[in-house]
Amino acid sequence: MLDYDPANCAIGAAVAIIGERPTFLVLGEAFNGVRRFDDMQRRTAIPRQVLSDRLARLVREDLLRKVPYQDAGQRRRYEYRLTSKGLDLYPGLVALMEWGDRYAAGPDGPPVVLQHRDCGEPVRLRLSCQAGHVLESARDVTPVPGPGARKIA
């Protein structure tokens, strides 16, 4: 694997889009069903201009879409809803949350736990191969060049 260019990295490309803390906060709120700018701003305390910039970026990247709404007697505004591309980030956010619960939570434990809506059981992220084997650690994985890999010159 060392003969391949690390500059062509999917992790780096993803971090370039979503790698800032305010972006993760916005995505977390979107996954929790918060859709309106004022609600996101109140819940996250992100400065209005920063929040506006992050929302615009997530819309440009097709992670969120703007949906117009208008309350009675008010001007038209927009809600921000997750797209399919945005919803595909959920496992990554759950992985970060689980890591944070294990290594960064306070002494009282995690601030949020995830439950399966239908049965109420805890939700846990698991890696598995296509044959169905559950992988317990990164040591169970071997990276190999994919179709987009580029050799180092």
Side-chain angles (χ1 to χ4, degrees), residues 45-95:
I46 297 171
R48 293 184 76 78
Q49 186 60 49
V50 173
L51 178 57
S52 180
D53 291 346
R54 293 310 177 274
L55 287 167
R57 171 94 192 253
L58 291 169
V59 168
R60 275 193 317 276
E61 295 290 343
D62 192 35
L63 299 173
L64 295 175
R65 63 186 168 92
K66 289 171 69 170
V67 177
Y69 75 93
Q70 188 168 8
D71 291 330
Q74 299 291 319
R75 65 181 170 87
R76 184 171 77 166
R77 294 181 175 208
Y78 294 92
E79 290 184 337
Y80 297 88
R81 297 188 184 183
L82 289 158
T83 63
S84 294
K85 186 176 175 182
L87 286 166
D88 283 347
L89 277 172
Y90 192 65
L93 291 178
V94 171

mmCIF file of all heavy atoms in Angstrom, residues 45-95:
data_model
loop_
_atom_site.group_PDB
_atom_site.id
_atom_site.type_symbol
_atom_site.label_atom_id
_atom_site.label_comp_id
_atom_site.label_asym_id
_atom_site.label_seq_id
_atom_site.Cartn_x
_atom_site.Cartn_y
_atom_site.Cartn_z
ATOM 1 N N ALA A 45 -25.480 27.609 19.490
ATOM 2 C CA ALA A 45 -24.783 28.855 19.836
ATOM 3 C C ALA A 45 -23.688 29.201 18.822
ATOM 4 O O ALA A 45 -22.762 29.955 19.129
ATOM 5 C CB ALA A 45 -24.220 28.815 21.257
ATOM 6 N N ILE A 46 -23.787 28.667 17.616
ATOM 7 C CA ILE A 46 -22.860 29.043 16.556
ATOM 8 C C ILE A 46 -23.219 30.459 16.121
ATOM 9 O O ILE A 46 -24.393 30.759 15.916
ATOM 10 C CB ILE A 46 -22.990 28.078 15.347
ATOM 11 C CG1 ILE A 46 -22.600 26.653 15.750
ATOM 12 C CG2 ILE A 46 -22.138 28.547 14.180
ATOM 13 C CD1 ILE A 46 -22.904 25.610 14.676
ATOM 14 N N PRO A 47 -22.237 31.349 15.984
ATOM 15 C CA PRO A 47 -22.550 32.706 15.509
ATOM 16 C C PRO A 47 -23.328 32.657 14.192
ATOM 17 O O PRO A 47 -23.083 31.796 13.343
ATOM 18 C CB PRO A 47 -21.170 33.345 15.319
ATOM 19 C CG PRO A 47 -20.280 32.582 16.254
ATOM 20 C CD PRO A 47 -20.812 31.177 16.267
ATOM 21 N N ARG A 48 -24.255 33.577 14.032
ATOM 22 C CA ARG A 48 -25.174 33.569 12.885
ATOM 23 C C ARG A 48 -24.443 33.506 11.542
ATOM 24 O O ARG A 48 -24.830 32.746 10.664
ATOM 25 C CB ARG A 48 -26.108 34.781 12.939
ATOM 26 C CG ARG A 48 -27.075 34.726 14.116
ATOM 27 C CD ARG A 48 -28.063 35.880 14.117
ATOM 28 N NE ARG A 48 -29.117 35.701 13.128
ATOM 29 C CZ ARG A 48 -30.174 34.910 13.269
ATOM 30 N NH1 ARG A 48 -30.329 34.202 14.365
ATOM 31 N NH2 ARG A 48 -31.069 34.822 12.318
ATOM 32 N N GLN A 49 -23.391 34.293 11.378
ATOM 33 C CA GLN A 49 -22.676 34.300 10.101
ATOM 34 C C GLN A 49 -21.985 32.965 9.848
ATOM 35 O O GLN A 49 -21.984 32.456 8.734
ATOM 36 C CB GLN A 49 -21.668 35.453 10.037
ATOM 37 C CG GLN A 49 -20.999 35.603 8.687
ATOM 38 C CD GLN A 49 -22.009 35.859 7.564
ATOM 39 O OE1 GLN A 49 -22.871 36.712 7.670
ATOM 40 N NE2 GLN A 49 -21.895 35.096 6.481
ATOM 41 N N VAL A 50 -21.401 32.387 10.889
ATOM 42 C CA VAL A 50 -20.739 31.083 10.744
ATOM 43 C C VAL A 50 -21.780 30.026 10.392
ATOM 44 O O VAL A 50 -21.575 29.206 9.489
ATOM 45 C CB VAL A 50 -19.976 30.710 12.037
ATOM 46 C CG1 VAL A 50 -19.438 29.282 11.960
ATOM 47 C CG2 VAL A 50 -18.847 31.696 12.293
ATOM 48 N N LEU A 51 -22.919 30.034 11.082
ATOM 49 C CA LEU A 51 -23.982 29.075 10.798
ATOM 50 C C LEU A 51 -24.490 29.236 9.371
ATOM 51 O O LEU A 51 -24.662 28.256 8.649
ATOM 52 C CB LEU A 51 -25.130 29.230 11.799
ATOM 53 C CG LEU A 51 -26.328 28.311 11.588
ATOM 54 C CD1 LEU A 51 -25.929 26.843 11.596
ATOM 55 C CD2 LEU A 51 -27.393 28.597 12.642
ATOM 56 N N SER A 52 -24.682 30.461 8.952
ATOM 57 C CA SER A 52 -25.133 30.730 7.593
ATOM 58 C C SER A 52 -24.144 30.180 6.569
ATOM 59 O O SER A 52 -24.531 29.533 5.587
ATOM 60 C CB SER A 52 -25.323 32.233 7.397
ATOM 61 O OG SER A 52 -25.753 32.508 6.097
ATOM 62 N N ASP A 53 -22.856 30.404 6.817
ATOM 63 C CA ASP A 53 -21.812 29.890 5.921
ATOM 64 C C ASP A 53 -21.817 28.363 5.880
ATOM 65 O O ASP A 53 -21.706 27.764 4.808
ATOM 66 C CB ASP A 53 -20.434 30.384 6.352
ATOM 67 C CG ASP A 53 -20.241 31.874 6.141
ATOM 68 O OD1 ASP A 53 -21.053 32.499 5.421
ATOM 69 O OD2 ASP A 53 -19.272 32.418 6.710
ATOM 70 N N ARG A 54 -21.934 27.719 7.044
ATOM 71 C CA ARG A 54 -21.917 26.254 7.098
ATOM 72 C C ARG A 54 -23.138 25.665 6.379
ATOM 73 O O ARG A 54 -23.028 24.695 5.641
ATOM 74 C CB ARG A 54 -21.885 25.733 8.533
ATOM 75 C CG ARG A 54 -20.628 26.034 9.300
ATOM 76 C CD ARG A 54 -19.368 25.645 8.523
ATOM 77 N NE ARG A 54 -18.173 25.989 9.240
ATOM 78 C CZ ARG A 54 -17.571 27.175 9.196
ATOM 79 N NH1 ARG A 54 -18.066 28.144 8.474
ATOM 80 N NH2 ARG A 54 -16.467 27.394 9.868
ATOM 81 N N LEU A 55 -24.302 26.247 6.611
ATOM 82 C CA LEU A 55 -25.512 25.758 5.950
ATOM 83 C C LEU A 55 -25.391 25.907 4.435
ATOM 84 O O LEU A 55 -25.723 24.987 3.680
ATOM 85 C CB LEU A 55 -26.744 26.488 6.470
ATOM 86 C CG LEU A 55 -27.177 26.104 7.888
ATOM 87 C CD1 LEU A 55 -28.205 27.095 8.413
ATOM 88 C CD2 LEU A 55 -27.717 24.685 7.929
ATOM 89 N N ALA A 56 -24.885 27.059 3.988
ATOM 90 C CA ALA A 56 -24.713 27.275 2.550
ATOM 91 C C ALA A 56 -23.744 26.246 1.969
ATOM 92 O O ALA A 56 -23.969 25.706 0.877
ATOM 93 C CB ALA A 56 -24.224 28.696 2.282
ATOM 94 N N ARG A 57 -22.674 25.957 2.673
ATOM 95 C CA ARG A 57 -21.690 24.961 2.197
ATOM 96 C C ARG A 57 -22.313 23.579 2.121
ATOM 97 O O ARG A 57 -22.117 22.839 1.149
ATOM 98 C CB ARG A 57 -20.478 24.951 3.130
ATOM 99 C CG ARG A 57 -19.487 23.831 2.882
ATOM 100 C CD ARG A 57 -18.394 24.295 1.968
ATOM 101 N NE ARG A 57 -17.577 23.222 1.481
ATOM 102 C CZ ARG A 57 -16.342 22.985 1.882
ATOM 103 N NH1 ARG A 57 -15.774 23.745 2.795
ATOM 104 N NH2 ARG A 57 -15.657 22.010 1.356
ATOM 105 N N LEU A 58 -23.091 23.208 3.146
ATOM 106 C CA LEU A 58 -23.723 21.891 3.149
ATOM 107 C C LEU A 58 -24.771 21.774 2.040
ATOM 108 O O LEU A 58 -24.965 20.690 1.479
ATOM 109 C CB LEU A 58 -24.322 21.600 4.522
ATOM 110 C CG LEU A 58 -23.276 21.387 5.631
ATOM 111 C CD1 LEU A 58 -23.947 21.365 6.996
ATOM 112 C CD2 LEU A 58 -22.477 20.121 5.391
ATOM 113 N N VAL A 59 -25.419 22.879 1.700
ATOM 114 C CA VAL A 59 -26.358 22.884 0.574
ATOM 115 C C VAL A 59 -25.583 22.739 -0.737
ATOM 116 O O VAL A 59 -25.944 21.937 -1.603
ATOM 117 C CB VAL A 59 -27.243 24.154 0.586
ATOM 118 C CG1 VAL A 59 -28.003 24.310 -0.718
ATOM 119 C CG2 VAL A 59 -28.203 24.122 1.777
ATOM 120 N N ARG A 60 -24.493 23.512 -0.896
ATOM 121 C CA ARG A 60 -23.666 23.404 -2.115
ATOM 122 C C ARG A 60 -23.126 21.991 -2.311
ATOM 123 O O ARG A 60 -23.038 21.498 -3.430
ATOM 124 C CB ARG A 60 -22.483 24.375 -2.061
ATOM 125 C CG ARG A 60 -22.774 25.756 -2.524
ATOM 126 C CD ARG A 60 -21.510 26.577 -2.754
ATOM 127 N NE ARG A 60 -20.476 26.462 -1.755
ATOM 128 C CZ ARG A 60 -20.412 27.155 -0.613
ATOM 129 N NH1 ARG A 60 -21.357 28.039 -0.322
ATOM 130 N NH2 ARG A 60 -19.419 26.983 0.228
ATOM 131 N N GLU A 61 -22.762 21.349 -1.227
ATOM 132 C CA GLU A 61 -22.195 19.990 -1.291
ATOM 133 C C GLU A 61 -23.287 18.922 -1.382
ATOM 134 O O GLU A 61 -22.991 17.732 -1.405
ATOM 135 C CB GLU A 61 -21.306 19.717 -0.072
ATOM 136 C CG GLU A 61 -20.063 20.581 -0.001
ATOM 137 C CD GLU A 61 -19.042 20.233 -1.076
ATOM 138 O OE1 GLU A 61 -19.131 19.146 -1.676
ATOM 139 O OE2 GLU A 61 -18.142 21.056 -1.316
ATOM 140 N N ASP A 62 -24.546 19.340 -1.401
ATOM 141 C CA ASP A 62 -25.699 18.443 -1.526
ATOM 142 C C ASP A 62 -25.860 17.502 -0.329
ATOM 143 O O ASP A 62 -26.324 16.377 -0.461
ATOM 144 C CB ASP A 62 -25.642 17.643 -2.838
ATOM 145 C CG ASP A 62 -26.953 16.933 -3.143
ATOM 146 O OD1 ASP A 62 -28.023 17.483 -2.821
ATOM 147 O OD2 ASP A 62 -26.907 15.806 -3.677
ATOM 148 N N LEU A 63 -25.475 17.978 0.852
ATOM 149 C CA LEU A 63 -25.721 17.223 2.079
ATOM 150 C C LEU A 63 -27.040 17.664 2.714
ATOM 151 O O LEU A 63 -27.693 16.881 3.404
ATOM 152 C CB LEU A 63 -24.576 17.411 3.068
ATOM 153 C CG LEU A 63 -23.213 16.934 2.569
ATOM 154 C CD1 LEU A 63 -22.120 17.321 3.537
ATOM 155 C CD2 LEU A 63 -23.220 15.446 2.328
ATOM 156 N N LEU A 64 -27.391 18.922 2.487
ATOM 157 C CA LEU A 64 -28.677 19.470 2.924
ATOM 158 C C LEU A 64 -29.355 20.105 1.723
ATOM 159 O O LEU A 64 -28.695 20.517 0.775
ATOM 160 C CB LEU A 64 -28.486 20.561 3.998
ATOM 161 C CG LEU A 64 -27.910 20.163 5.345
ATOM 162 C CD1 LEU A 64 -27.704 21.407 6.205
ATOM 163 C CD2 LEU A 64 -28.785 19.157 6.058
ATOM 164 N N ARG A 65 -30.677 20.180 1.785
ATOM 165 C CA ARG A 65 -31.424 20.919 0.760
ATOM 166 C C ARG A 65 -32.310 21.928 1.465
ATOM 167 O O ARG A 65 -32.754 21.724 2.602
ATOM 168 C CB ARG A 65 -32.246 19.985 -0.123
ATOM 169 C CG ARG A 65 -33.305 19.221 0.597
ATOM 170 C CD ARG A 65 -33.977 18.206 -0.348
ATOM 171 N NE ARG A 65 -34.793 17.302 0.425
ATOM 172 C CZ ARG A 65 -36.088 17.476 0.678
ATOM 173 N NH1 ARG A 65 -36.722 18.518 0.183
ATOM 174 N NH2 ARG A 65 -36.757 16.608 1.410
ATOM 175 N N LYS A 66 -32.529 23.047 0.791
ATOM 176 C CA LYS A 66 -33.376 24.107 1.332
ATOM 177 C C LYS A 66 -34.817 23.866 0.884
ATOM 178 O O LYS A 66 -35.066 23.661 -0.294
ATOM 179 C CB LYS A 66 -32.905 25.474 0.838
ATOM 180 C CG LYS A 66 -31.600 25.909 1.450
ATOM 181 C CD LYS A 66 -31.036 27.147 0.787
ATOM 182 C CE LYS A 66 -31.850 28.368 1.059
ATOM 183 N NZ LYS A 66 -31.175 29.610 0.617
ATOM 184 N N VAL A 67 -35.730 23.909 1.838
ATOM 185 C CA VAL A 67 -37.149 23.730 1.561
ATOM 186 C C VAL A 67 -37.869 24.965 2.086
ATOM 187 O O VAL A 67 -37.777 25.279 3.284
ATOM 188 C CB VAL A 67 -37.696 22.454 2.250
ATOM 189 C CG1 VAL A 67 -39.186 22.313 2.027
ATOM 190 C CG2 VAL A 67 -36.936 21.227 1.764
ATOM 191 N N PRO A 68 -38.593 25.688 1.221
ATOM 192 C CA PRO A 68 -39.256 26.908 1.687
ATOM 193 C C PRO A 68 -40.431 26.607 2.624
ATOM 194 O O PRO A 68 -41.092 25.581 2.500
ATOM 195 C CB PRO A 68 -39.745 27.567 0.398
ATOM 196 C CG PRO A 68 -39.780 26.499 -0.620
ATOM 197 C CD PRO A 68 -38.806 25.446 -0.200
ATOM 198 N N TYR A 69 -40.634 27.513 3.579
ATOM 199 C CA TYR A 69 -41.811 27.483 4.443
ATOM 200 C C TYR A 69 -42.183 28.917 4.756
ATOM 201 O O TYR A 69 -41.376 29.838 4.604
ATOM 202 C CB TYR A 69 -41.573 26.670 5.719
ATOM 203 C CG TYR A 69 -40.721 27.364 6.754
ATOM 204 C CD1 TYR A 69 -41.296 28.126 7.769
ATOM 205 C CD2 TYR A 69 -39.329 27.266 6.729
ATOM 206 C CE1 TYR A 69 -40.513 28.769 8.721
ATOM 207 C CE2 TYR A 69 -38.545 27.897 7.670
ATOM 208 C CZ TYR A 69 -39.140 28.646 8.669
ATOM 209 O OH TYR A 69 -38.371 29.289 9.610
ATOM 210 N N GLN A 70 -43.399 29.128 5.209
ATOM 211 C CA GLN A 70 -43.831 30.479 5.561
ATOM 212 C C GLN A 70 -44.855 30.387 6.684
ATOM 213 O O GLN A 70 -45.938 29.838 6.508
ATOM 214 C CB GLN A 70 -44.438 31.190 4.350
ATOM 215 C CG GLN A 70 -44.727 32.650 4.597
ATOM 216 C CD GLN A 70 -45.050 33.376 3.308
ATOM 217 O OE1 GLN A 70 -45.193 32.784 2.247
ATOM 218 N NE2 GLN A 70 -45.162 34.685 3.402
ATOM 219 N N ASP A 71 -44.490 30.902 7.846
ATOM 220 C CA ASP A 71 -45.429 30.989 8.956
ATOM 221 C C ASP A 71 -46.403 32.131 8.684
ATOM 222 O O ASP A 71 -46.050 33.106 7.999
ATOM 223 C CB ASP A 71 -44.684 31.227 10.280
ATOM 224 C CG ASP A 71 -43.865 30.012 10.719
ATOM 225 O OD1 ASP A 71 -44.273 28.875 10.390
ATOM 226 O OD2 ASP A 71 -42.840 30.202 11.398
ATOM 227 N N ALA A 72 -47.598 32.030 9.224
ATOM 228 C CA ALA A 72 -48.632 33.048 9.002
ATOM 229 C C ALA A 72 -48.115 34.435 9.380
ATOM 230 O O ALA A 72 -47.554 34.628 10.461
ATOM 231 C CB ALA A 72 -49.874 32.706 9.818
ATOM 232 N N GLY A 73 -48.273 35.370 8.460
ATOM 233 C CA GLY A 73 -47.868 36.751 8.701
ATOM 234 C C GLY A 73 -46.374 37.004 8.624
ATOM 235 O O GLY A 73 -45.917 38.103 8.931
ATOM 236 N N GLN A 74 -45.593 36.007 8.231
ATOM 237 C CA GLN A 74 -44.140 36.135 8.167
ATOM 238 C C GLN A 74 -43.670 36.009 6.720
ATOM 239 O O GLN A 74 -44.397 35.547 5.854
ATOM 240 C CB GLN A 74 -43.474 35.032 9.005
ATOM 241 C CG GLN A 74 -43.828 35.072 10.473
ATOM 242 C CD GLN A 74 -43.233 36.266 11.183
ATOM 243 O OE1 GLN A 74 -42.081 36.634 10.936
ATOM 244 N NE2 GLN A 74 -44.005 36.889 12.049
ATOM 245 N N ARG A 75 -42.435 36.425 6.484
ATOM 246 C CA ARG A 75 -41.846 36.266 5.153
ATOM 247 C C ARG A 75 -41.465 34.802 4.935
ATOM 248 O O ARG A 75 -41.349 34.024 5.873
ATOM 249 C CB ARG A 75 -40.629 37.168 4.993
ATOM 250 C CG ARG A 75 -39.470 36.811 5.906
ATOM 251 C CD ARG A 75 -38.302 37.787 5.698
ATOM 252 N NE ARG A 75 -37.278 37.629 6.691
ATOM 253 C CZ ARG A 75 -36.264 36.765 6.593
ATOM 254 N NH1 ARG A 75 -36.144 35.994 5.544
ATOM 255 N NH2 ARG A 75 -35.367 36.691 7.546
ATOM 256 N N ARG A 76 -41.267 34.450 3.683
ATOM 257 C CA ARG A 76 -40.855 33.087 3.351
ATOM 258 C C ARG A 76 -39.444 32.846 3.866
ATOM 259 O O ARG A 76 -38.561 33.684 3.726
ATOM 260 C CB ARG A 76 -40.916 32.871 1.844
ATOM 261 C CG ARG A 76 -40.588 31.435 1.468
ATOM 262 C CD ARG A 76 -40.858 31.153 0.037
ATOM 263 N NE ARG A 76 -39.778 31.729 -0.756
ATOM 264 C CZ ARG A 76 -39.558 31.435 -2.015
ATOM 265 N NH1 ARG A 76 -40.362 30.624 -2.663
ATOM 266 N NH2 ARG A 76 -38.564 31.980 -2.664
ATOM 267 N N ARG A 77 -39.243 31.685 4.468
ATOM 268 C CA ARG A 77 -37.941 31.260 4.971
ATOM 269 C C ARG A 77 -37.662 29.844 4.473
ATOM 270 O O ARG A 77 -38.462 29.284 3.745
ATOM 271 C CB ARG A 77 -37.925 31.294 6.497
ATOM 272 C CG ARG A 77 -38.056 32.694 7.036
ATOM 273 C CD ARG A 77 -38.014 32.689 8.526
ATOM 274 N NE ARG A 77 -38.017 34.063 8.999
ATOM 275 C CZ ARG A 77 -37.485 34.432 10.120
ATOM 276 N NH1 ARG A 77 -36.938 33.548 10.922
ATOM 277 N NH2 ARG A 77 -37.521 35.691 10.480
ATOM 278 N N TYR A 78 -36.551 29.275 4.938
ATOM 279 C CA TYR A 78 -36.162 27.945 4.482
ATOM 280 C C TYR A 78 -35.847 27.027 5.657
ATOM 281 O O TYR A 78 -35.274 27.445 6.657
ATOM 282 C CB TYR A 78 -34.935 28.018 3.570
ATOM 283 C CG TYR A 78 -35.228 28.737 2.282
ATOM 284 C CD1 TYR A 78 -35.010 30.104 2.165
ATOM 285 C CD2 TYR A 78 -35.768 28.054 1.201
ATOM 286 C CE1 TYR A 78 -35.310 30.770 0.993
ATOM 287 C CE2 TYR A 78 -36.070 28.709 0.022
ATOM 288 C CZ TYR A 78 -35.843 30.065 -0.068
ATOM 289 O OH TYR A 78 -36.153 30.722 -1.236
ATOM 290 N N GLU A 79 -36.227 25.783 5.492
ATOM 291 C CA GLU A 79 -35.781 24.715 6.379
ATOM 292 C C GLU A 79 -34.634 24.008 5.673
ATOM 293 O O GLU A 79 -34.525 24.048 4.450
ATOM 294 C CB GLU A 79 -36.896 23.692 6.618
ATOM 295 C CG GLU A 79 -38.024 24.210 7.444
ATOM 296 C CD GLU A 79 -39.051 23.121 7.734
ATOM 297 O OE1 GLU A 79 -39.142 22.131 6.982
ATOM 298 O OE2 GLU A 79 -39.760 23.287 8.724
ATOM 299 N N TYR A 80 -33.809 23.343 6.451
ATOM 300 C CA TYR A 80 -32.678 22.594 5.921
ATOM 301 C C TYR A 80 -32.892 21.124 6.237
ATOM 302 O O TYR A 80 -32.967 20.742 7.396
ATOM 303 C CB TYR A 80 -31.364 23.110 6.521
ATOM 304 C CG TYR A 80 -31.110 24.531 6.136
ATOM 305 C CD1 TYR A 80 -31.615 25.574 6.903
ATOM 306 C CD2 TYR A 80 -30.410 24.830 4.978
ATOM 307 C CE1 TYR A 80 -31.407 26.896 6.528
ATOM 308 C CE2 TYR A 80 -30.195 26.155 4.600
ATOM 309 C CZ TYR A 80 -30.703 27.175 5.382
ATOM 310 O OH TYR A 80 -30.492 28.475 5.004
ATOM 311 N N ARG A 81 -33.019 20.330 5.184
ATOM 312 C CA ARG A 81 -33.296 18.905 5.349
ATOM 313 C C ARG A 81 -32.173 18.083 4.743
ATOM 314 O O ARG A 81 -31.611 18.433 3.704
ATOM 315 C CB ARG A 81 -34.621 18.548 4.691
ATOM 316 C CG ARG A 81 -35.774 19.277 5.340
ATOM 317 C CD ARG A 81 -37.078 18.783 4.835
ATOM 318 N NE ARG A 81 -38.159 19.586 5.413
ATOM 319 C CZ ARG A 81 -39.419 19.349 5.193
ATOM 320 N NH1 ARG A 81 -39.785 18.366 4.401
ATOM 321 N NH2 ARG A 81 -40.339 20.106 5.748
ATOM 322 N N LEU A 82 -31.891 16.973 5.375
ATOM 323 C CA LEU A 82 -30.842 16.081 4.885
ATOM 324 C C LEU A 82 -31.223 15.476 3.542
ATOM 325 O O LEU A 82 -32.373 15.090 3.328
ATOM 326 C CB LEU A 82 -30.603 14.961 5.894
ATOM 327 C CG LEU A 82 -29.918 15.398 7.180
ATOM 328 C CD1 LEU A 82 -30.203 14.417 8.301
ATOM 329 C CD2 LEU A 82 -28.424 15.551 6.958
ATOM 330 N N THR A 83 -30.258 15.410 2.655
ATOM 331 C CA THR A 83 -30.415 14.707 1.379
ATOM 332 C C THR A 83 -29.978 13.256 1.584
ATOM 333 O O THR A 83 -29.474 12.886 2.659
ATOM 334 C CB THR A 83 -29.524 15.346 0.304
ATOM 335 O OG1 THR A 83 -28.157 15.179 0.718
ATOM 336 C CG2 THR A 83 -29.848 16.814 0.095
ATOM 337 N N SER A 84 -30.091 12.458 0.559
ATOM 338 C CA SER A 84 -29.586 11.076 0.634
ATOM 339 C C SER A 84 -28.082 11.073 0.923
ATOM 340 O O SER A 84 -27.599 10.278 1.724
ATOM 341 C CB SER A 84 -29.859 10.340 -0.678
ATOM 342 O OG SER A 84 -31.232 10.179 -0.862
ATOM 343 N N LYS A 85 -27.373 11.978 0.283
ATOM 344 C CA LYS A 85 -25.928 12.087 0.510
ATOM 345 C C LYS A 85 -25.646 12.455 1.965
ATOM 346 O O LYS A 85 -24.725 11.922 2.585
ATOM 347 C CB LYS A 85 -25.350 13.143 -0.438
ATOM 348 C CG LYS A 85 -23.858 13.280 -0.418
ATOM 349 C CD LYS A 85 -23.428 14.306 -1.476
ATOM 350 C CE LYS A 85 -21.959 14.604 -1.450
ATOM 351 N NZ LYS A 85 -21.590 15.623 -2.446
ATOM 352 N N GLY A 86 -26.442 13.357 2.517
ATOM 353 C CA GLY A 86 -26.287 13.726 3.922
ATOM 354 C C GLY A 86 -26.623 12.577 4.857
ATOM 355 O O GLY A 86 -25.912 12.323 5.834
ATOM 356 N N LEU A 87 -27.707 11.860 4.571
ATOM 357 C CA LEU A 87 -28.100 10.721 5.403
ATOM 358 C C LEU A 87 -27.024 9.643 5.421
ATOM 359 O O LEU A 87 -26.846 8.945 6.426
ATOM 360 C CB LEU A 87 -29.424 10.131 4.915
ATOM 361 C CG LEU A 87 -30.664 10.963 5.235
ATOM 362 C CD1 LEU A 87 -31.862 10.473 4.431
ATOM 363 C CD2 LEU A 87 -30.964 10.945 6.729
ATOM 364 N N ASP A 88 -26.272 9.523 4.324
ATOM 365 C CA ASP A 88 -25.203 8.532 4.265
ATOM 366 C C ASP A 88 -24.065 8.827 5.245
ATOM 367 O O ASP A 88 -23.237 7.950 5.515
ATOM 368 C CB ASP A 88 -24.636 8.421 2.845
ATOM 369 C CG ASP A 88 -25.537 7.616 1.917
ATOM 370 O OD1 ASP A 88 -26.472 6.945 2.407
ATOM 371 O OD2 ASP A 88 -25.301 7.665 0.691
ATOM 372 N N LEU A 89 -24.021 10.030 5.807
ATOM 373 C CA LEU A 89 -23.002 10.367 6.806
ATOM 374 C C LEU A 89 -23.331 9.833 8.200
ATOM 375 O O LEU A 89 -22.478 9.841 9.083
ATOM 376 C CB LEU A 89 -22.857 11.898 6.923
ATOM 377 C CG LEU A 89 -21.962 12.555 5.911
ATOM 378 C CD1 LEU A 89 -22.077 14.071 6.020
ATOM 379 C CD2 LEU A 89 -20.526 12.117 6.110
ATOM 380 N N TYR A 90 -24.558 9.378 8.403
ATOM 381 C CA TYR A 90 -24.985 8.980 9.739
ATOM 382 C C TYR A 90 -24.056 7.952 10.393
ATOM 383 O O TYR A 90 -23.656 8.148 11.549
ATOM 384 C CB TYR A 90 -26.433 8.490 9.719
ATOM 385 C CG TYR A 90 -27.007 8.338 11.105
ATOM 386 C CD1 TYR A 90 -27.193 9.456 11.922
ATOM 387 C CD2 TYR A 90 -27.357 7.090 11.604
ATOM 388 C CE1 TYR A 90 -27.717 9.322 13.191
ATOM 389 C CE2 TYR A 90 -27.880 6.961 12.878
ATOM 390 C CZ TYR A 90 -28.060 8.070 13.668
ATOM 391 O OH TYR A 90 -28.561 7.950 14.925
ATOM 392 N N PRO A 91 -23.685 6.876 9.718
ATOM 393 C CA PRO A 91 -22.780 5.923 10.384
ATOM 394 C C PRO A 91 -21.461 6.563 10.832
ATOM 395 O O PRO A 91 -20.927 6.223 11.883
ATOM 396 C CB PRO A 91 -22.539 4.844 9.328
ATOM 397 C CG PRO A 91 -23.725 4.939 8.425
ATOM 398 C CD PRO A 91 -24.092 6.404 8.401
ATOM 399 N N GLY A 92 -20.946 7.501 10.046
ATOM 400 C CA GLY A 92 -19.712 8.185 10.441
ATOM 401 C C GLY A 92 -19.895 9.023 11.690
ATOM 402 O O GLY A 92 -19.037 9.026 12.583
ATOM 403 N N LEU A 93 -21.015 9.705 11.796
ATOM 404 C CA LEU A 93 -21.284 10.504 12.995
ATOM 405 C C LEU A 93 -21.517 9.606 14.205
ATOM 406 O O LEU A 93 -21.090 9.926 15.319
ATOM 407 C CB LEU A 93 -22.470 11.431 12.762
ATOM 408 C CG LEU A 93 -22.213 12.567 11.772
ATOM 409 C CD1 LEU A 93 -23.472 13.398 11.563
ATOM 410 C CD2 LEU A 93 -21.076 13.453 12.227
ATOM 411 N N VAL A 94 -22.188 8.483 13.997
ATOM 412 C CA VAL A 94 -22.393 7.533 15.103
ATOM 413 C C VAL A 94 -21.040 6.982 15.560
ATOM 414 O O VAL A 94 -20.804 6.847 16.764
ATOM 415 C CB VAL A 94 -23.363 6.406 14.706
ATOM 416 C CG1 VAL A 94 -23.398 5.306 15.771
ATOM 417 C CG2 VAL A 94 -24.775 6.961 14.476
ATOM 418 N N ALA A 95 -20.144 6.688 14.624
ATOM 419 C CA ALA A 95 -18.812 6.202 14.995
ATOM 420 C C ALA A 95 -18.073 7.243 15.837
ATOM 421 O O ALA A 95 -17.465 6.900 16.860
ATOM 422 C CB ALA A 95 -18.005 5.847 13.743
#
